[in-house]
Amino acid sequence: MKYDIKVELENRSEEYSFSEVAKQANGAAWVKSGDTVILATVVIDETEIVKDDFLPLTVQYIEKTYAAGKIPGGFFKRETKPSDFETLTSRIVDRSLRPLFPKGFGHPTQITIMTFSVDSEADLQVLALNAASAALYVSDIDINKSVSAVRASMVDGELVLNPTLSELNNSTLDLYLSGTKDELLMIEMRSIGSEKIDNALVVDPLLDPTMSAPFITTHASNALPEDELIKILQKTQELLFESNIKYEDAFKEFKKETKEIGYKSHVINEDMVGYVREKHLSDIKDAMNQMAKSERSTALRALRKKIMLTQEKWDEVELKDAIEKVKKEQVRAQILNDKIRADGRALNEIRPISISTNVLPRAHASCLFTRGETQALVVLTMGGSKDAQMFETLTDDGVQNENFMVHYNFPGFSVGEASPVMGTKRRELGHGNLAKRALEPIVNLDGQTVRLVSEILESNGSSSMATVCGGYMALRAADIDTSETVAGIAMGMVSEGNNYAILSDIMGLEDHDGDMDFKVTGSKDGITAMQMDIKLGGISLNVLKEALYQAKEGRAHIIDIMQEAEKKIEFNDGVLPSTDFFHINPSFIGEIIGQAGKTIREIIDKFEVAIDIDKKDGKVKVTGKSKSGVQAAKEHIEGIVNAPKSPKIEYKVGDKYKGVVKKIVDFGAFVELPDGTDGLIHISKISDQRVDKVSDVLSEGEEIDVEILEFKGNKISLGRA
């Protein structure tokens, strides 16, 4: 393969070829970094222009198992439906590149990213975006900006940019930024939690701007404080901007001649806009006060029909656009000028919250979380290690187990739409993944498997954050220990020039007509996860910092309400499984297991529990359907360990003792000696006469005289005395 250019970046390099493969695509980039090879292509349909007011862009990130020398597992030996990682990566690329397309671009566009070779240290999500952006930049589409990604991690207190996967696996932070050379477009962040790595965070970053000392301060929480995140964002953003300058300088000579294509003409009829402003502004305000999306749409549609009765020659589609423009203007002006939102709230005010736990009597745990017109029913199910979700990625050596799952479902009825319930969509997968990242740092399952399912029953903004709050409450309603209380809040922003307003707990109207969708989850101490999409093309760190601290105030308010609700939890004791962990001296494990597992089977059957024992350190896990059964099993095991024992006898060859036949087998009998030690009397040593069947001569519980014949390791061989 002939490579056209090589771009040197922080911690790695990338080589690009633009003319060797996929020549019939509008743009293509073959990218090599280390031993990883990715092909990204861009194709547009020039014969069609979609008239609806959206960009018909589809992004598909596709992994080939041969890239890592693997054959697909399962019955079908070829790649089938996309994995969660592939879907989430496609979504990240889509959200990063969508803002680049010119207004009025309506041609169906397909971006395909394929992995052909993968090494175990590759950051495939970063490379996928970089490759797709390169293919788009050199294509014949009128796009002249590079978008790239930078990932930041925190390893032993040191900030590492563009980390390897090994470094990321030992990091307390996973921060993914995408943007252009002068605009930050997207943020994805999760705090892995210092307790889950090595508790190695020390000293203040400002003491050493050269980064020779650790970059962040010690904090007990698994959440990352806002001040520290801002400092990390500043460093990461600087590298992001520098990288895009390098990309554009390197790619510009390979840019194809721009193709002349048609754009959607979307001209607002200003006469209609003026008429609506003058005659029906009060109707617009009334419609804004209809908080549910369906109710608001009905009110605006009724207004449109009312106007058409007196303006019969007007085009109804044009009138719809005019009404929408006036509505958007009014929403934004009221926020910026009057500091009041459509529902009458102050900019930092949170909608009313109600929380009910364990509303489902047969589920292990549940929570009905309602915030304004958004409602999530989050249901928790507990299982053992065998219930974990098995998965495998290209960079893994083998199959991995996911024992904490969050699944998010968004049926049409939640927004008043008459649509059937279909398979999981990308948005649902993304929202569930965000909620998982928010809660995972504070949960220590210790071998258990937990599945949270969020059923969105009503939605008017921030249903993913309702999932986080409801998910935390469901964990507590299942009596699962958490390190701290975590809540989520969706922030928004409206801006005109230098005038801006930051909104807490945004509703659907403010998300639609605003300039930012910023979801922040965490405790009162800091942030566990974050996701931000900026619609206006960039945001300053000062504004971002203000939004983060306003989000912190909102979270604290929500957390106070959640902690009050925690005090009222009544557990589903008849249904909720119980688990207990304790340690015993490993030397007693043999006695707990018993001869051929007899003792432990008796405990399991008697108390209806499952028992796992770590033979190395003596850790015992007891799980059962009821707390009483688990506690009784624990006490029984501790009774075996703590029972007084007869002093051990120092046995010698030739010594004779009375023993009790404990178990008869085909080849002899196990005999318990006076101090509880077992010995084996072989069938050939039971009698002077030939014995065909041991049970013809001996019976369990019978007392017999035996002689020590020999020692075989820890085993004692006996004969009949």
Side-chain angles (χ1 to χ4, degrees):
M1 174 63 66
K2 173 181 171 292
Y3 289 95
D4 298 311
I5 54 168
K6 184 175 184 179
V7 181
E8 295 292 342
L9 303 165
E10 178 84 11
N11 233 7
R12 70 166 196 277
S13 63
E14 296 172 356
E15 295 179 89
Y16 287 82
S17 176
F18 297 114
S19 56
E20 292 286 307
V21 299
K23 300 180 180 113
Q24 296 188 48
N26 291 81
W30 177 284
V31 186
K32 182 175 182 291
S33 181
D35 288 338
T36 299
V37 176
I38 290 179
L39 172 66
T41 61
V42 180
V43 178
I44 64 171
D45 184 347
E46 300 175 39
T47 63
E48 181 184 355
I49 295 182
V50 177
K51 294 182 180 180
D52 293 335
D53 189 21
F54 82 104
L55 175 67
L57 171 66
T58 303
V59 177
Q60 284 184 289
Y61 167 78
I62 302 168
E63 293 185 339
K64 300 294 185 178
T65 57
Y66 57 68
K70 299 177 181 180
I71 294 174
F75 185 79
F76 295 102
K77 296 303 174 184
R78 68 180 299 162
E79 292 81 3
T80 52
K81 70 174 186 177
S83 66
D84 286 0
F85 181 82
E86 288 172 288
T87 301
L88 293 169
T89 303
S90 299
R91 196 165 182 260
I92 284 175
V93 175
D94 186 305
R95 287 160 50 207
S96 299
L97 296 182
R98 190 170 286 269
L100 290 185
F101 285 81
K103 189 173 181 61
F105 188 96
H107 294 277
T109 304
Q110 175 73 47
I111 296 178
T112 306
I113 309 151
M114 302 174 73
T115 57
F116 291 152
S117 176
V118 172
D119 66 50
S120 60
E121 296 293 350
D123 189 333
L124 296 175
Q125 289 186 327
V126 168
L127 287 172
L129 176 57
N130 293 353
S133 174
L136 193 59
Y137 185 89
V138 301
S139 73
D140 52 15
I141 303 172
D142 188 18
I143 290 176
N144 301 291
K145 281 186 178 181
S146 167
V147 170
S148 66
V150 173
R151 196 185 297 273
S153 64
M154 192 64 62
V155 182
D156 295 335
E158 295 277 2
L159 179 63
V160 179
L161 301 176
N162 288 333
T164 64
L165 285 194
S166 296
E167 290 171 326
L168 190 60
N169 288 336
N170 292 306
S171 173
T172 57
L173 172 71
D174 181 1
L175 175 67
Y176 184 101
L177 264 62
S178 70
T180 66
K181 64 184 177 184
D182 48 22
E183 295 174 339
L184 179 61
L185 297 177
M186 191 195 74
I187 300 175
E188 291 266 359
M189 172 260 175
R190 68 183 175 117
S191 174
I192 300 169
S194 56
E195 293 177 7
K196 297 195 175 185
I197 304 296
D198 200 16
N199 286 322
L201 306 182
V202 289
V203 309
D204 192 299
L206 298 179
L207 298 178
D208 191 350
T210 66
M211 299 291 294
S212 60
F215 191 73
I216 67 176
T217 54
T218 302
H219 52 90
S221 169
N222 280 343
L224 182 66
E226 282 77 3
D227 277 346
E228 294 178 1
L229 177 59
I230 288 291
K231 285 180 273 194
I232 295 169
L233 281 170
Q234 186 172 5
K235 287 281 185 182
T236 310
Q237 182 179 267
E238 289 172 4
L239 179 61
L240 177 69
F241 293 166
E242 292 169 6
S243 299
N244 280 298
I245 292 172
K246 289 183 180 180
Y247 283 127
E248 291 188 11
D249 288 343
F251 296 163
K252 60 186 176 183
E253 65 178 289
F254 303 98
K255 172 77 174 168
K256 294 182 180 180
E257 184 177 348
T258 300
K259 185 183 292 290
E260 294 293 333
I261 59 174
Y263 289 86
K264 292 183 284 187
S265 58
H266 189 76
V267 179
I268 300 292
N269 189 318
E270 292 300 332
D271 291 337
M272 291 184 183
V273 171
Y275 177 87
V276 173
R277 283 198 195 111
E278 181 181 351
K279 303 289 188 182
H280 296 283
L281 192 57
S282 61
D283 293 325
I284 295 286
K285 291 180 179 180
D286 289 341
M288 286 166 49
N289 292 329
Q290 304 294 320
M291 287 300 100
K293 177 182 175 183
S294 57
E295 294 172 349
R296 190 168 58 250
S297 298
T298 300
L300 292 174
R301 186 165 54 249
L303 173 60
R304 189 169 73 245
K305 298 297 184 184
K306 175 182 174 182
I307 295 174
M308 287 300 297
L309 291 176
T310 60
Q311 305 292 336
E312 297 179 3
K313 294 183 179 180
W314 281 7
D315 182 85
E316 189 170 350
V317 174
E318 288 185 346
L319 179 58
K320 179 182 179 182
D321 292 340
I323 291 174
E324 178 64 26
K325 181 178 180 179
V326 175
K327 185 263 295 181
K328 183 173 182 178
E329 286 175 351
Q330 183 59 32
V331 168
R332 296 170 67 87
Q334 187 171 300
I335 289 170
L336 288 171
N337 301 330
D338 303 331
K339 307 301 180 186
I340 295 181
R341 299 154 76 171
D343 58 357
R345 281 186 290 154
L347 302 186
N348 63 348
E349 188 175 347
I350 312 300
R351 290 173 291 178
I353 292 173
S354 68
I355 301 172
S356 300
T357 52
N358 287 336
V359 295
L360 306 179
R362 295 302 298 174
H364 289 166
S366 58
C367 173
L368 184 64
F369 183 91
T370 307
R371 177 165 53 200
E373 298 78 33
T374 296
Q375 187 176 68
L377 174 65
V378 186
V379 187
L380 181 146
T381 308
M382 297 172 64
S385 57
K386 293 180 180 179
D387 296 307
Q389 172 68 61
M390 297 174 63
F391 69 95
E392 185 175 9
T393 66
L394 289 184
T395 52
D396 289 329
D397 292 333
V399 175
Q400 306 295 312
N401 289 317
E402 179 185 13
N403 65 347
F404 182 61
M405 296 166 275
V406 181
H407 297 154
Y408 168 100
N409 298 315
F410 192 86
F413 65 76
S414 66
V415 287
E417 293 179 355
S419 59
V421 177
M422 305 293 285
T424 305
K425 302 180 181 67
R426 286 185 177 186
R427 178 180 176 276
E428 292 175 300
L429 188 62
H431 279 16
N433 183 61
L434 174 59
K436 177 190 173 183
R437 290 187 284 122
L439 295 169
E440 197 167 29
I442 62 153
V443 180
N444 185 6
L445 299 177
D446 209 356
Q448 298 177 88
T449 296
V450 166
R451 180 186 184 225
L452 288 169
V453 179
S454 176
E455 309 287 1
I456 304 303
L457 306 184
E458 187 179 359
S459 179
N460 185 8
S462 195
S463 58
S464 63
M465 298 297 92
T467 297
V468 172
C469 299
Y472 172 83
M473 293 303 302
L475 288 167
R476 299 302 299 126
D479 201 21
I480 293 175
D481 287 334
T482 56
S483 61
E484 48 203 322
T485 308
V486 162
I489 186 170
M491 308 295 292
M493 184 172 70
V494 174
S495 66
E496 295 291 344
N498 294 325
N499 189 16
Y500 67 89
I502 296 171
L503 311 176
S504 297
D505 182 26
I506 59 173
M507 54 186 175
L509 177 68
E510 294 162 339
D511 185 9
H512 182 268
D513 292 334
D515 300 319
M516 181 176 72
D517 180 15
F518 187 16
K519 300 179 178 71
V520 191
T521 73
S523 65
K524 289 186 177 182
D525 294 319
I527 300 168
T528 57
M530 183 172 70
Q531 183 182 92
M532 181 174 71
D533 293 297
I534 304 161
K535 303 174 187 177
L536 43 80
I539 186 172
S540 72
L541 285 179
N542 287 334
V543 174
L544 180 58
K545 184 174 183 178
E546 185 178 337
L548 285 172
Y549 274 98
Q550 190 167 316
K552 184 175 185 177
E553 292 175 3
R555 285 201 316 275
H557 169 78
I558 298 166
I559 286 171
D560 286 341
I561 296 172
M562 291 167 61
Q563 289 175 338
E564 282 300 313
E566 272 192 66
K567 299 174 183 178
K568 302 174 184 177
I569 290 175
E570 295 182 5
F571 301 113
N572 287 352
D573 285 330
V575 178
L576 181 64
S578 178
T579 301
D580 201 350
F581 297 89
F582 57 98
H583 285 79
I584 61 170
N585 188 324
S587 64
F588 288 93
I589 291 175
E591 295 182 40
I592 294 170
I593 294 174
Q595 188 72 46
K598 180 180 179 182
T599 304
I600 198 168
R601 283 199 302 272
E602 289 175 350
I603 299 172
I604 291 170
D605 292 342
K606 180 177 180 180
F607 301 107
E608 296 183 330
V609 295
I611 302 174
D612 292 321
I613 302 177
D614 188 324
K615 294 182 179 179
K616 290 184 179 180
D617 63 6
K619 184 176 182 180
V620 181
K621 173 186 172 185
V622 181
T623 304
K625 294 181 178 180
S626 67
K627 285 186 178 181
S628 59
V630 169
Q631 184 61 30
K634 176 183 177 181
E635 291 173 356
H636 187 89
I637 292 171
E638 290 176 338
I640 295 174
V641 173
N642 297 325
K645 304 294 181 184
S646 302
K648 292 289 183 180
I649 299 173
E650 186 177 345
Y651 295 106
K652 297 177 182 178
V653 173
D655 288 352
K656 297 179 180 180
Y657 299 94
K658 286 190 178 294
V660 177
V661 178
K662 299 296 290 182
K663 186 176 180 63
I664 292 175
V665 292
D666 291 341
F667 52 86
F670 288 98
V671 178
E672 183 180 356
L673 298 174
D675 66 349
T677 301
D678 286 343
L680 173 66
I681 181 169
H682 193 266
I683 189 172
S684 61
K685 307 294 183 181
I686 290 176
S687 172
D688 294 335
Q689 306 296 321
R690 175 181 173 81
V691 176
D692 294 321
K693 193 174 181 181
V694 179
S695 58
D696 290 340
V697 181
L698 298 175
S699 58
E700 291 184 2
E702 178 183 353
E703 188 176 75
I704 61 174
D705 293 318
V706 293
E707 180 181 353
I708 307 294
L709 297 182
E710 62 177 326
F711 297 94
K712 296 180 179 179
N714 294 326
K715 298 177 181 179
I716 301 176
S717 179
L718 304 174
R720 198 71 178 265

